[in-house]
Amino acid sequence: MFLRLLSDVRWRAANPKWRRMTCSRRSTSSTAEPHPISLPAQAQVVICGGGIMGTSVAYHLSKMGWKDIVLLEQGRLAAGTTRFCAGIVSTARHVSIELKMADYSNKLYQQLEQETGVKTGYMKTGSISLAQTQDRLISLKRIASSLNVMGIPCEIITPKQVAQLHPLINIHDLVGAMYVPEDALVSSANVSLALATAASRNGVQIHERTSVSHVSVQKGRVTGVETDRGQIQCQYFVNCAGQWAYELGHSGEEPVNIPLHACEHFYLLTHPLKEPLASSLPTIVDPDGRIYIRNWQGGILSGGFEKNPKPLFTEGRNQLEIQNLQEDWDHFEPLLSALLRRMPDLEALQIMQLVNCPESFTPDMRCIMGESPTVRGYFVLAGMNSAGISYGGGAGKYLAEWMVNGYPSENVWPLDLKRFGTLQSSRTFLRHRVMEVMPLMCDLKVPRWDFQTGRQLRTSPLYDRLDAQGARWMEKHGFERVKYFVPPGKDLLDLDQSKTFYKPDWFDIVGSEVKCCKEAVCVIDMSSFTKFEISSTGDQALESLQYLFSNDLDVPVGHVVHTGMLNEKGGYENDCSIARLSKRSFFMISPTDQQVHCWAWLKNRLPDDSNLTMEDVTWKYTALNLIGPRAVDVLSELSYAPITPEHFPSLFCKEMSVGYANGIRVMSITHTGEPGFMLYIPIEYALHVYNEVMNMGQKYGIRNAGYYALRSLRIEKFFAFWGQDLDAFTTPMECGREFQVKLEKGTQFVGQEALLEQKHNGVYKRFTMFILEDHDTDADLWPWWGEPIFRNGRYVGKTTSSAYSYTLERHVCLGFVQHFDEKTGEELVVTTDFINQGEYEIDIAGQRFQAKAKLYPLSSLFTHRRRKDEVELSGYQRE
């Protein structure tokens, strides 16, 4: 079956005439052209990169009224990765913001030809994603639920329906599929040229054959760019350089880390079939076979994501335009086999070409956008993970909004450049990670899967001790954190390989850790928390923090304040705890993945005053969370100090000795709602203090616990955490945290006006707890996050986090509820009555489960607590 295909390929590769024609065509395309128009001396914005990303940013900026824009392309427009793009516009995405970007792109491309007169090849063909296993079908059903509530037509279909829509598809091994009828095909290069045409008409200057060599920076801001044709002064620079974005980021006076790496990406093109394929046939995505198939000029275009990708080092921008890389049929053979299994009638079809082009991938399979944390005015849009044409329109729109308005219209934190630190920019790390990422494009992603490469990079001093005691690890911002501890006698391999959408194998293990937290005492290593110290010689630190945070930080020394770091719209840029160490010194604890974002936010807003200092002390302290009713007994015996409520009230910070170690910062908080303490320990004492705690705690039933137990505890207490429940579009008023806001604290603070307006007018979404009523924990699919919420049969929002409550013996979901007028669709104020008077359902992969909605007042949440003054009034959690 393969000989006809392969023999055809070998003949073409060996045929001198074919080789001469190909080489002639390629050499002609890269011939240098003169520069008839000189570069301007200055511009407001300079964009580097003339592919789909650069032209989309230019298009949207010009649409928003910015005209003084220069786009530079080192070769020709759309001659890089964009030229080789398969042209598939697919909205079937797991991540909500990616789904929204793809949906916008589809709608934009549909009308672009009419707007510009440039043919884009847009054809609405639909797409069919195939499932060979039940788990894959569940994954598709979860995506379908999200698409449907977004208003994107989508349905789960049978194998027979697949055959009706695409008669050439072999359906014998399928259990179902997902059909998205409005997905489309385009000519990627032509879409890019159409965007460039529209941008040019709006005043954007476009210069081809112009290479950017250097970005000039003064006082932390972009001031201009150096090119091979001269200098341009500018206020904003946008790096849309694709696979070269990494090197370009490091070419400036102040390096900008853009963690991406290129891999070779293969697809083949065939001659037309005897009966050419209809142009309207749906695109086929076969993730279990690791391939995609679309019609192409009566034949097919088919590629995929192999298990053993070939990374490319991209140092040196020595290609003005990306050429087709070397063919490698041995490498492509598994994908070719998958294609012929899926479409066996193609066995006699002649291949026209095997395309091999570079494609950029990022460490977490999500694209990179946003402003650099180190250089103001330096924006990035790159690393599309082979989805550039699907994301191009939406990504360009959001970045343009970010530049013009100071923020995009949607929460793009999952894509923000600042989610990465410098550690993810190691070339070795990137090379190894993309070799894992590229196969993951097709791998089944069950809840709470973990990357395997680039691990043990940032570890607590206790890592080896915890690992020896059965710790199972996950990674956050490069930091190793414990999920749970496997008891002696359990099969470690089985647990590590347990992947399911149903009840997981660690269920009972986590349950026993939760039980110990509630009845005795547990220790959780939470050293990954971001920790800053802010101090001054005078009142500068207090005055600055009072302006940047919503709560009142002018509290007595030793007190801890839960507060939000808000933006001008009142949304959470950070959710943190701040301890006042002295009159002029503060200790700030934030979520793990806030290390880069929070630092940049504060540095850009703190006054430039030599008497005011901020230091990142994350690495200086190990953090142990001592949780449970017997935590007070353990700490009392270790410190020989009274830990009674009178001596150590709630939300208090005191420097103490524990064992032989001095200088331990002890705080009466646990981030779970359970009684206990956080111990911030200088790293040189970490092992000693841990040993002392474990030894002393033996008589109180102490044990280790992990983040899965912590997550269950905080969700059943209705505590939200930043990055999943809270984001830049969520205000304290919308999630029941008015008490964290001191509107009358005597000084203005960022976001105050927006919160005053909400207090007066009401809120348009409300953070709500849902307890599943008719859900069988053992037999039914579990909720994880992102499930649609229905009220009286109408969609009103999505869950943001979920966990099984071992106390309630029910699943608990947290999420936001919105209220829309049934006739006009107008957004209405969400009242307490609206929440309480509805009948709710949670959609899990297409199956709806009844749920009881709760808006717990704080007083009733914690009446069962051992002592009321231990309550963490914030109702928050960091992960």
Side-chain angles (χ1 to χ4, degrees):
M1 177 167 64
F2 293 80
L3 289 177
R4 292 180 181 177
L5 280 169
L6 296 178
S7 63
D8 182 38
V9 171
R10 292 194 182 107
W11 176 85
R12 297 183 81 261
N15 187 292
K17 181 179 179 182
W18 178 82
R19 286 169 125 183
R20 285 196 301 272
M21 289 174 62
T22 305
C23 292
S24 173
R25 187 164 60 246
R26 290 176 183 168
S27 62
T28 301
S29 69
S30 58
T31 303
E33 297 175 356
H35 302 120
I37 303 174
S38 60
L39 296 180
Q42 61 183 31
Q44 184 181 13
V45 182
V46 172
I47 301 170
C48 177
I52 184 67
M53 295 301 147
T55 54
S56 179
V57 173
Y59 171 87
H60 287 95
L61 283 174
S62 67
K63 285 279 187 180
M64 296 182 72
W66 283 19
K67 309 295 184 183
D68 188 12
I69 301 168
V70 175
L71 187 150
L72 306 178
E73 163 56 45
Q74 65 174 345
R76 297 176 306 164
L77 286 177
T81 302
T82 298
R83 178 162 65 103
F84 288 98
C85 180
I88 300 170
V89 184
S90 170
T91 54
R93 305 290 165 182
H94 289 276
V95 180
S96 177
I97 186 63
E98 293 178 341
L99 190 159
K100 291 176 181 178
M101 289 196 304
D103 184 44
Y104 173 85
S105 297
N106 196 348
K107 292 179 171 65
L108 172 66
Y109 303 157
Q110 189 171 359
Q111 56 86 33
L112 198 56
E113 184 172 326
Q114 182 179 357
E115 178 185 346
T116 64
V118 177
K119 291 188 178 298
T120 61
Y122 184 90
M123 172 68 69
K124 189 176 290 185
T125 62
S127 71
I128 303 174
S129 297
L130 309 179
Q132 296 182 31
T133 67
Q134 287 297 332
D135 275 347
R136 177 70 69 181
L137 189 60
I138 291 168
S139 179
L140 294 178
K141 287 178 177 179
R142 288 178 64 88
I143 296 174
S145 292
S146 294
L147 290 173
N148 282 322
V149 297
M150 288 275 297
I152 301 171
C154 175
E155 60 179 313
I156 298 299
I157 60 176
T158 65
K160 282 188 177 181
Q161 289 173 300
V162 172
Q164 292 168 0
L165 290 166
H166 202 307
L168 292 179
I169 295 299
N170 177 12
I171 63 170
H172 79 280
D173 58 348
L174 301 182
V175 297
M178 178 178 69
Y179 178 46
V180 186
E182 294 192 355
D183 280 355
L185 298 176
V186 295
S187 165
S188 304
N190 286 359
V191 168
S192 186
L193 293 173
L195 292 168
T197 298
S200 181
R201 290 174 183 169
N202 284 331
V204 175
Q205 297 185 50
I206 299 175
H207 296 267
E208 297 179 306
R209 309 292 183 188
T210 306
S211 296
V212 175
S213 58
H214 181 77
V215 179
S216 301
V217 177
Q218 290 183 9
K219 296 182 179 180
R221 288 202 67 98
V222 168
T223 59
V225 296
E226 293 279 356
T227 77
D228 56 355
R229 295 173 55 199
Q231 185 183 49
I232 306 176
Q233 294 181 348
C234 62
Q235 299 169 259
Y236 298 92
F237 176 73
V238 188
N239 184 340
C240 296
Q243 68 160 338
W244 296 295
Y246 179 99
E247 280 73 30
L248 182 58
H250 283 263
S251 68
E253 297 167 1
E254 180 75 35
V256 174
N257 292 308
I258 305 169
L260 54 79
H261 200 299
C263 284
E264 297 181 28
H265 179 56
F266 296 87
Y267 63 80
L268 62 79
L269 302 171
T270 76
H271 290 286
L273 279 71
K274 288 183 180 179
E275 291 186 15
L277 288 178
S279 60
S280 59
L281 271 180
T283 296
I284 299 296
V285 180
D286 185 0
D288 296 309
R290 316 191 74 81
I291 58 171
Y292 56 83
I293 310 163
R294 56 154 288 191
N295 68 72
W296 185 77
Q297 298 182 7
I300 66 161
L301 179 158
S302 180
F305 301 95
E306 62 274 23
K307 291 184 177 181
N308 57 332
K310 299 170 68 175
L312 291 166
F313 278 110
T314 54
E315 283 92 343
R317 290 173 287 138
N318 53 6
Q319 288 179 300
L320 292 183
E321 297 165 8
I322 297 174
Q323 307 297 347
N324 191 15
L325 303 173
Q326 185 176 358
E327 292 181 344
D328 188 340
W329 283 98
D330 289 338
H331 190 77
F332 188 72
E333 192 277 336
L335 301 181
L336 180 62
S337 298
L339 168 63
L340 293 176
R341 283 195 299 272
R342 188 56 57 208
M343 298 180 72
D345 291 346
L346 299 184
E347 62 179 16
L349 188 63
Q350 286 191 332
I351 290 174
M352 180 177 293
Q353 185 180 3
L354 179 64
V355 176
N356 178 6
C357 61
E359 191 70 72
S360 296
F361 295 87
T362 64
D364 60 1
M365 295 188 294
R366 300 196 298 267
C367 74
I368 297 172
M369 69 162 60
E371 188 174 19
S372 161
T374 55
V375 180
R376 300 296 304 274
Y378 192 121
F379 285 82
V380 177
L381 187 56
M384 294 296 126
N385 300 282
S386 200
I389 195 63
S390 290
Y391 297 155
K397 171 180 180 285
Y398 291 142
L399 193 74
E401 291 173 344
W402 204 330
M403 296 174 67
V404 174
N405 301 327
Y407 49 85
S409 57
E410 296 283 351
N411 173 35
V412 297
W413 170 248
L415 315 177
D416 195 327
L417 172 62
K418 292 183 283 294
R419 72 187 188 270
F420 295 119
T422 56
L423 58 92
Q424 284 99 352
S425 289
S426 154
R427 263 297 176 200
T428 303
F429 168 83
L430 288 171
R431 183 177 176 87
H432 290 173
R433 176 56 65 85
V434 298
M435 291 177 71
E436 179 183 10
V437 160
M438 192 169 170
L440 280 170
M441 302 297 292
C442 289
D443 285 354
L444 183 68
K445 288 176 277 294
V446 298
R448 299 185 186 173
W449 56 272
D450 300 297
F451 288 108
Q452 301 303 310
T453 54
R455 298 295 297 270
Q456 299 183 34
L457 193 57
R458 301 176 74 191
T459 61
S460 158
L462 306 177
Y463 179 87
D464 289 337
R465 284 295 308 276
L466 301 180
D467 195 58
Q469 296 178 75
R472 298 294 91 190
W473 300 94
M474 60 183 179
E475 174 257 336
K476 183 85 164 183
H477 202 63
F479 219 116
E480 295 294 326
R481 311 197 308 178
V482 181
K483 296 188 283 190
Y484 50 82
F485 286 82
V486 179
K490 283 280 187 179
D491 191 327
L492 300 184
L493 188 61
D494 280 352
L495 279 167
D496 285 344
Q497 295 180 347
S498 173
K499 297 179 179 180
T500 180
F501 291 98
Y502 291 90
K503 180 181 177 180
D505 289 345
W506 44 257
F507 178 83
D508 291 332
I509 294 174
V510 174
S512 64
E513 293 181 3
V514 169
K515 188 174 190 297
C516 188
C517 287
K518 288 180 170 293
E519 297 179 358
V521 58
C522 279
V523 176
I524 303 179
D525 184 350
M526 301 178 71
S527 302
S528 65
F529 275 5
T530 297
K531 313 169 196 76
F532 297 160
E533 287 184 1
I534 303 161
S535 58
S536 59
T537 57
D539 293 332
Q540 300 94 331
L542 176 62
E543 291 171 358
S544 299
L545 296 181
Q546 285 284 67
Y547 174 69
L548 292 173
F549 293 88
S550 62
N551 211 336
D552 189 357
L553 297 175
D554 192 5
V555 294
V557 172
H559 282 248
V560 181
V561 176
H562 295 320
T563 183
M565 184 175 78
L566 310 181
N567 54 38
E568 286 75 9
K569 297 173 74 68
Y572 279 97
E573 293 294 334
N574 186 14
D575 178 44
C576 58
S577 304
I578 299 180
R580 191 169 192 178
L581 302 179
S582 70
K583 289 192 68 175
R584 297 169 180 172
S585 179
F586 297 84
F587 184 52
M588 176 178 171
I589 304 106
S590 303
T592 301
D593 51 5
Q594 273 278 2
Q595 190 166 14
V596 176
H597 172 71
C598 183
W599 179 269
W601 181 272
L602 290 173
K603 287 292 285 185
N604 291 335
R605 287 161 179 80
L606 287 172
D608 186 11
D609 187 339
S610 60
N611 295 313
L612 177 65
T613 60
M614 180 172 68
E615 182 184 4
D616 186 344
V617 296
T618 300
W619 63 274
K620 287 187 177 182
Y621 292 93
T622 295
L624 292 183
N625 196 348
L626 203 59
I627 304 177
R630 306 312 299 266
V632 63
D633 301 307
V634 174
L635 194 58
S636 294
E637 292 199 42
L638 281 173
S639 62
Y640 296 100
I643 311 293
T644 61
E646 294 74 26
H647 295 91
F648 210 125
S650 174
L651 299 175
F652 196 71
C653 175
K654 184 184 293 186
E655 199 164 279
M656 303 172 62
S657 297
V658 177
Y660 296 150
N662 293 319
I664 313 301
R665 292 175 181 172
V666 180
M667 299 185 190
S668 51
I669 57 177
T670 66
H671 312 296
T672 63
E674 300 299 325
F677 304 89
M678 285 293 302
L679 281 61
Y680 289 92
I681 309 160
I683 57 170
E684 63 267 31
Y685 301 145
L687 194 56
H688 168 75
V689 172
Y690 173 77
N691 289 338
E692 290 290 299
V693 167
M694 295 303 288
N695 289 335
M696 183 63 69
Q698 291 303 313
K699 60 184 176 182
Y700 300 110
I702 198 168
R703 65 176 292 173
N704 293 299
Y707 271 81
Y708 283 11
L710 185 143
R711 180 177 293 166
S712 175
L713 290 168
R714 71 94 178 169
I715 287 178
E716 72 178 20
K717 291 295 196 305
F718 202 10
F719 286 11
F721 72 78
W722 188 91
Q724 190 160 345
D725 303 306
L726 308 179
D727 57 43
F729 290 81
T730 305
T731 74
M733 305 300 185
E734 294 165 345
C735 57
R737 297 189 179 190
E738 296 89 340
F739 52 87
Q740 280 192 9
V741 177
K742 296 297 184 287
L743 292 170
E744 311 298 333
K745 65 179 178 179
T747 61
Q748 288 189 329
F749 61 88
V750 178
Q752 186 176 26
E753 290 185 10
L755 298 186
L756 284 169
E757 184 177 342
Q758 281 194 332
K759 184 178 180 181
H760 182 264
N761 297 332
V763 297
Y764 292 94
K765 63 179 180 180
R766 194 82 177 265
F767 195 51
T768 308
M769 170 189 276
F770 297 94
I771 302 171
L772 296 191
E773 296 283 280
D774 59 345
H775 183 269
D776 187 326
T777 302
D778 295 318
D780 290 328
L781 288 168
W782 275 30
W784 296 98
W785 61 275
E787 290 85 12
I789 302 167
F790 291 86
R791 179 186 182 275
N792 298 344
R794 292 175 57 85
Y795 171 69
V796 291
K798 281 189 174 184
T799 64
T800 51
S801 56
S802 302
Y804 182 81
S805 167
Y806 294 88
T807 306
L808 302 174
E809 297 183 343
R810 292 284 189 276
H811 257 96
V812 176
C813 302
L814 308 182
F816 286 90
V817 171
Q818 296 174 280
H819 184 190
F820 296 96
D821 185 276
E822 294 187 15
K823 294 181 180 179
T824 65
E826 178 187 359
E827 198 172 25
L828 302 175
V829 170
V830 178
T831 64
T832 300
D833 285 344
F834 179 80
I835 298 292
N836 290 335
Q837 293 172 8
E839 298 290 331
Y840 291 90
E841 294 173 303
I842 306 296
D843 181 319
I844 306 176
Q847 184 177 357
R848 296 188 187 183
F849 296 89
Q850 293 179 3
K852 191 171 184 179
K854 294 287 186 180
L855 283 175
Y856 288 118
L858 289 171
S859 57
S860 64
L861 255 180
F862 305 115
T863 51
H864 68 283
R865 293 290 299 273
R866 191 162 67 92
R867 69 174 195 245
K868 188 175 180 181
D869 60 358
E870 285 179 344
V871 173
E872 288 180 32
L873 293 178
S874 70
Y876 88 116
Q877 154 66 9
R878 294 189 243 301
E879 289 203 355

